[in-house]
Amino acid sequence: MFFLLLSLSAFASDELDLSAIEALEKELPSTEYSGRTDEIEQRRSLTRYTHPYKKTSIKSILASGTEHGHVKAGRYLIRIEDNKAVELTEPFYGKFFKLQDDLGFKYVQSNDGSCVYKLKTEFFNSIEKEMELYVPPLKYTPAPTNIVRAEYDKKLILLPEATLLVGMVQGSYMKDLFNDDTASSGVSNQYGFHVAVDWNIPLKAGLVFHYEKSSYDLRGGGNVYYSCPSLGPQFKTKDLDFWGAPIRFQTQFRVSPFARASAETTQGNVDFKFNSADLLVGAEHPIKNRMGEFVLGLYFQSQWLNIKDQPEIVSINASNETNKSFGLSFAQVFE
């Protein structure tokens, strides 16, 4: 220790040449500040950095698109309307909007596309990757195209139809009744009103009402006038395609206890009353129009007559003779 002190005393006593250091110090800029210290404190306060604040709008969140996600049971959803927390009692899978708000909430998409709830982002687990794991098969068998599905009508629709039938009559019964070959032919007009159901069953059912007027010539300038209102069921097929045109078939069976025939003969006027039964078959071609369908058709009809309440004695060779008529039909179906 003694020798160390002697060495330091000797070093301090020697004169050192510091001229070079002093010259270098004069060339350096001055760092002295003569201002006030309160200015330094004010400048330090102005240099503080403020983080920017960006608010995320609900409009931009709803426009950001959705992704599939999962939330565990026991987590809480926050109702946006009143900030009330709703606990999930079971795991929740649904769609969430991709963009979260500035407070770290993820928004849940409802079934109708609206947004009612939100939850903390840390509770949200995306399952988009899991949903992309499905790989379509390399080979598969297409489903058959002729699948038969059971269809039924939810309500019953009735289609009204007005019809006119014009044709010729082969009056075998009238010829036999009046014993006159001239009455073997005549003309017939029928005015009808039909009601048919519109359903998916191929065979459509309905009800028809016809009023028929027929006339026959007799020898000596006489005439027979036949009239009859009749009622009965009707059945029509669905429209079938024949060379690009829709065609359907119909049949109807009508009965009436009110058939009458008035005859002007050379021996005087005679009246007859009958029970009638008419079987009609036909083919129709519907044409669409503003009111529904205009229908053109061909028909054939067989008519059985049974005389009744007849005070006079008549001679009929064959009571099973029928009157047969055929012609054109015109109808308008209202839809």
Side-chain angles (χ1 to χ4, degrees), residues 19 28 51 58 66 80 148 195 238 269 332:
S19 59
L28 294 175
H51 293 277
I58 188 66
T66 59
I80 300 175
V148 179
V195 176
K238 66 177 182 179
N269 297 336
Q332 174 64 49

Side-chain angles (χ1 to χ4, degrees), residues 60-312:
S60 59
I61 293 175
L62 298 180
S64 63
T66 59
E67 59 180 329
H68 293 84
H70 163 257
V71 182
K72 294 181 179 180
R75 304 300 187 182
Y76 287 89
L77 297 179
I78 307 299
R79 189 159 54 200
I80 300 175
E81 182 181 4
D82 53 6
N83 285 329
K84 184 178 179 180
V86 179
E87 184 180 3
L88 295 175
T89 58
E90 58 184 18
F92 172 74
Y93 293 88
K95 288 185 178 181
F96 299 79
F97 292 99
K98 294 181 178 180
L99 186 63
Q100 66 181 26
D101 63 9
D102 48 284
L103 298 178
F105 282 94
K106 200 83 170 176
Y107 288 74
V108 185
Q109 185 187 47
S110 303
N111 293 332
D112 58 356
S114 63
C115 182
V116 180
Y117 295 96
K118 63 182 179 179
L119 81 159
K120 279 293 186 178
T121 306
E122 56 264 26
F123 298 155
F124 166 78
N125 300 299
S126 177
I127 58 173
E128 286 293 329
K129 297 296 182 182
E130 288 78 359
M131 298 193 66
E132 295 176 0
L133 295 178
Y134 172 74
V135 178
L138 298 177
K139 184 179 180 180
Y140 66 96
T141 302
T145 56
N146 56 345
I147 299 176
V148 179
R149 294 182 174 87
E151 297 183 357
Y152 63 94
D153 295 276
K154 296 182 178 179
K155 58 181 180 180
L156 187 64
I157 300 176
L158 299 178
L159 300 179
E161 175 182 359
T163 182
L164 169 66
L165 288 79
V166 180
M168 301 294 295
V169 185
Q170 182 183 358
S172 299
Y173 185 89
M174 295 300 181
K175 172 187 173 182
D176 188 18
L177 177 63
F178 292 95
N179 195 20
D180 191 342
D181 292 340
T182 309
S184 61
S185 63
V187 295
S188 173
N189 294 328
Q190 296 188 41
Y191 309 91
F193 179 76
H194 304 177
V195 176
V197 293
D198 184 18
W199 56 24
N200 293 322
I201 300 175
L203 190 63
K204 302 181 185 299
L207 188 67
V208 298
F209 172 80
H210 276 215
Y211 180 75
E212 180 178 357
K213 295 184 67 176
S214 302
S215 63
Y216 306 85
D217 293 332
L218 296 175
R219 287 190 302 263
N223 293 285
V224 177
Y225 298 100
Y226 172 82
S227 63
C228 175
S230 58
L231 183 70
Q234 173 185 253
F235 299 94
K236 289 187 179 185
T237 66
K238 66 177 182 179
D239 292 350
L240 306 174
D241 188 5
F242 284 87
W243 298 285
I247 299 293
R248 59 180 174 236
F249 300 95
Q250 70 151 317
T251 181
Q252 53 183 251
F253 183 74
R254 309 185 313 274
V255 295
S256 174
F258 306 110
R260 303 178 66 92
S262 299
E264 299 174 355
T265 68
T266 56
Q267 299 177 355
N269 297 336
V270 182
D271 291 330
F272 295 94
K273 297 179 182 180
F274 308 96
N275 291 318
S276 70
D278 300 85
L279 176 64
L280 182 146
V281 293
E284 299 179 342
H285 170 57
I287 303 171
K288 289 289 186 181
N289 59 16
R290 293 184 302 172
M291 294 181 291
E293 290 179 342
F294 180 72
V295 183
L296 295 175
L298 299 172
Y299 78 91
F300 174 81
Q301 176 179 282
S302 291
Q303 183 180 79
W304 293 269
L305 297 178
N306 182 18
I307 197 169
K308 69 172 185 177
D309 298 336
Q310 183 60 38
E312 300 181 8

